[in-house]
Amino acid sequence: MRLSRYFLPVLKETPSEAQIASHRLMLRAGMIKQATAGIYSWLPLGFKILRKLENIVHEEQVRAGHIPMLMPTLQSADLWRESGRYDDYGAEMLRITDRHGRDMLYGPTNEELITDIFRAHVGSYKDLPLTLYHIQWKFRDEVRPRFGVMRGREFFMKDGYNFDLTKEDAMHAYNRHMVSYLRTYERMGLQAIPMRADSGPIGGDDTHEFLVLAETGESEVFYDSAITDLSLGERAVDYNSWDDCAAIVKEWTTPYARTDETHDEALFNAIPEARRKTSRGIEVGQIFYFGTKYSDAMGATVQGPDGKSTPVHMGSHGIGVSRLVGAIIEASHDDKGIIWPEGVTPYHAGIVNVKQGDAEADAACEAIYASLNALGLEPLYDDRDERAGGKFATMDLIGLPWRITVGPRGLKNGVVELTCRRTGESEELPPEQAIEKLALVYAGHVLRPSL
Ligand code: P5A
């Protein structure tokens, strides 16, 4: 992409309404614009990152054996009356009446709708296990929408639902989700710690939230620092294996980690003092096992191997995809701007031409731009006729992990400058070597055509 032809409305001023870094930076970097309280338009740069995160979530869900689909945003109130949640959900639910006077709602979650689909089409235990998911906009009329996309009213969520014959099978689904979530967050360059939590309006006893540690997080968390040493890395996981998934879950759930809702002071004090940590966290996902709560209420049964009709065991699992954009920025920024992890960056490298209009500099930039594209990488070429200082500031603000700076002085010596956004370190290299280095950096990453 050439910046001269892009739509990147960066702001010079720091917006006064934004209280935390991610909100400020998303506004300043031209990623979002508030449409009305808690509701945002995703401008091209923000949309590109949202799509990247969505793709990672899809890839990891499909890898775990879960099946993508799409349900609507608007739902009929009648289904929610069946489960009893139409009244229970309270003022957070946006209620709508259509022209025929029928009660509708903008879905805050989809347990009822998916259970209705299940009961209409699945009748035998032979069709289990089944996990369906979608990534769709949700609406919750939060009392205090704040921090930009972090606590929006309209937000983008991946929500998945498992249907199993037995509690044991459903616990495998729970474990499988925990492992696939750990992988998902790791690919996004995040450490998200599973913490025993409270189930709230979704219901059930078994639930974990995934929290990214950040001072600006809305939850208070208590944990054993040993948990922050864990990582899945390149570990191969057999999602079909009960034991494989359970072993990883055990590893992650053995060290103490709880939100304030379930915190137990006595257990916490049993951890060696040096490892006892209290912090704040951003909740980027939550998984639930709630047994037959919805299948009992809505008659979602299958015929078991003994021929008897039995309600299915269910759980649901959510990832806050739009919130993750903010969470990644909270975890990865400095006073100049965002620092995207390589796995989610909207463009792989910026090219800054410090002397636009200089024939040699222009030609060198064009050649680098073409080579990076040919490798399947997406460069963002700042080809505007602007001062170099302004171009650097924009690149630092939008946070691309690498920048290639091209100018007549370097070109005289056959070199360009390759700068790492995270460390600030630069090296002078012939253009081919800078390109080779970027190819190596991104070798392990999934590259896909641009939107
Ligand atoms: C699980 C999927 C559920 O709704 N039903 C279907 C279950 N869980 S949840 O914890 O309530 O939400 C899942 C994740 O969505 C994000 N989230 C939000 N993101 C932005 N703004 C909001 N107002 C908001 N509310 C929830 C969180 O990341 C949460 O973990």
Side-chain angles (χ1 to χ4, degrees):
M1 177 59 68
R2 291 164 199 277
L3 207 42
S4 63
R5 300 198 198 148
Y6 199 39
F7 179 64
L8 184 71
V10 298
L11 306 179
K12 293 231 162 51
E13 307 296 319
T14 299
S16 58
E17 75 269 27
Q19 299 163 31
I20 60 170
S22 57
H23 188 194
R24 269 195 301 276
L25 290 170
M26 287 181 77
L27 291 169
R28 283 196 52 217
M31 291 172 60
I32 51 168
K33 181 179 185 314
Q34 182 175 301
T36 182
I39 304 181
Y40 290 87
S41 297
W42 290 76
L43 306 181
L45 189 71
F47 179 57
K48 198 160 164 57
I49 292 148
L50 191 65
R51 279 282 174 263
K52 282 226 162 174
L53 301 189
E54 184 185 6
N55 284 335
I56 291 174
V57 172
H58 271 304
E59 280 161 9
E60 293 306 326
Q61 287 308 297
V62 169
R63 198 198 299 273
H66 307 156
I67 305 170
M69 60 179 293
L70 186 61
M71 289 175 271
T73 52
L74 296 187
Q75 303 182 24
S76 154
D78 288 341
L79 277 180
W80 287 69
R81 291 195 175 102
E82 280 190 52
S83 73
R85 283 208 296 180
Y86 188 62
D87 293 324
D88 290 355
Y89 222 95
E92 250 187 42
M93 180 185 277
L94 181 65
R95 294 152 209 264
I96 303 162
T97 309
D98 74 8
R99 68 198 297 164
H100 304 292
R102 283 187 289 245
D103 293 330
M104 312 275 292
L105 56 100
Y106 192 132
T109 176
N110 283 50
E111 280 79 7
E112 285 76 0
L113 200 53
I114 196 83
T115 306
D116 182 51
I117 292 168
F118 180 89
R119 71 181 171 185
H121 297 291
V122 182
S124 164
Y125 75 95
K126 292 181 188 150
D127 298 323
L128 306 182
L130 179 66
T131 295
L132 299 167
Y133 78 94
H134 73 161
I135 306 183
Q136 176 63 291
W137 294 95
K138 305 287 184 295
F139 194 95
R140 293 183 187 172
D141 205 351
E142 301 278 351
V143 194
R144 282 221 303 151
R146 58 183 185 153
F147 302 159
V149 301
M150 208 73 99
R151 181 163 296 281
R153 294 200 295 165
E154 189 184 45
F155 60 98
F156 204 39
M157 190 209 285
K158 170 264 162 181
D159 42 324
Y161 306 85
N162 68 288
F163 301 90
D164 288 280
L165 183 62
T166 63
K167 175 168 183 184
E168 197 192 2
D169 291 349
M171 286 319 289
H172 176 49
Y174 188 88
N175 293 343
R176 205 173 56 228
H177 277 89
M178 185 177 291
V179 177
S180 70
Y181 279 26
L182 290 171
R183 279 191 73 137
T184 303
Y185 300 124
E186 272 192 25
R187 273 189 65 183
M188 295 176 183
L190 282 177
Q191 181 166 49
I193 304 175
M195 303 205 180
R196 187 155 276 290
D198 185 61
S199 65
I202 306 292
D205 298 327
D206 288 285
T207 181
H208 280 86
E209 286 180 0
F210 292 77
L211 287 116
V212 173
L213 301 176
E215 275 166 31
T216 47
E218 293 187 286
S219 318
E220 193 177 11
V221 299
F222 303 84
Y223 62 97
D224 176 343
S225 64
I227 202 165
T228 57
D229 297 333
L230 300 176
S231 107
L232 277 179
E234 298 300 308
R235 207 182 306 192
V237 179
D238 177 0
Y239 281 110
N240 290 316
S241 156
W242 215 104
D243 293 345
D244 257 31
C245 293
I248 294 171
V249 168
K250 185 153 185 253
E251 199 180 334
W252 258 266
T253 53
T254 302
Y256 185 93
R258 296 192 179 193
T259 63
D260 53 357
E261 294 159 344
T262 56
H263 179 55
D264 181 324
E265 202 61 30
L267 286 177
F268 187 58
N269 287 333
I271 307 167
E273 197 174 353
R275 298 203 328 239
R276 241 179 270 158
K277 304 281 176 203
T278 307
S279 166
R280 299 199 70 80
I282 302 167
E283 181 204 322
V284 291
Q286 187 163 3
I287 56 175
F288 302 82
Y289 164 71
F290 40 69
T292 57
K293 172 177 169 173
Y294 297 90
S295 42
D296 278 337
M298 297 180 65
T301 57
V302 290
Q303 195 176 45
D306 55 3
K308 285 194 194 131
S309 170
T310 170
V312 283
H313 286 257
M314 290 175 62
S316 71
H317 319 275
I319 294 183
V321 182
S322 50
R323 176 177 288 181
L324 272 165
V325 180
I328 293 171
I329 298 174
E330 285 300 322
S332 187
H333 70 271
D334 62 15
D335 50 4
K336 293 188 207 144
I338 302 165
I339 307 173
W340 292 116
E342 270 120 5
V344 302
T345 186
Y347 291 95
H348 298 102
I351 303 171
V352 169
N353 187 345
V354 297
K355 197 146 190 224
Q356 204 70 44
D358 175 273
E360 252 185 88
D362 290 2
C365 287
E366 289 296 335
I368 294 168
Y369 184 68
S371 301
L372 290 175
N373 273 310
L375 287 170
L377 294 172
E378 290 184 273
L380 182 66
Y381 172 22
D382 192 343
D383 58 344
R384 297 167 309 158
D385 189 13
E386 299 247 335
R387 282 184 313 108
K391 291 188 176 187
F392 292 142
T394 299
M395 284 295 175
D396 284 345
L397 174 64
I398 67 172
L400 310 186
W402 297 91
R403 187 185 79 207
I404 298 181
T405 308
V406 181
R409 211 176 322 141
L411 288 176
K412 270 202 192 91
N413 302 319
V415 294
V416 295
E417 194 182 51
L418 181 67
T419 307
C420 172
R421 174 72 180 84
R422 190 171 293 281
T423 63
E425 280 164 20
S426 290
E427 53 182 332
E428 295 200 323
L429 296 168
E432 316 75 63
Q433 281 182 27
I435 292 161
E436 256 168 48
K437 184 153 181 188
L438 288 179
L440 266 180
V441 164
Y442 287 107
H445 293 265
V446 180
L447 303 178
R448 56 174 72 254
S450 152
L451 265 176

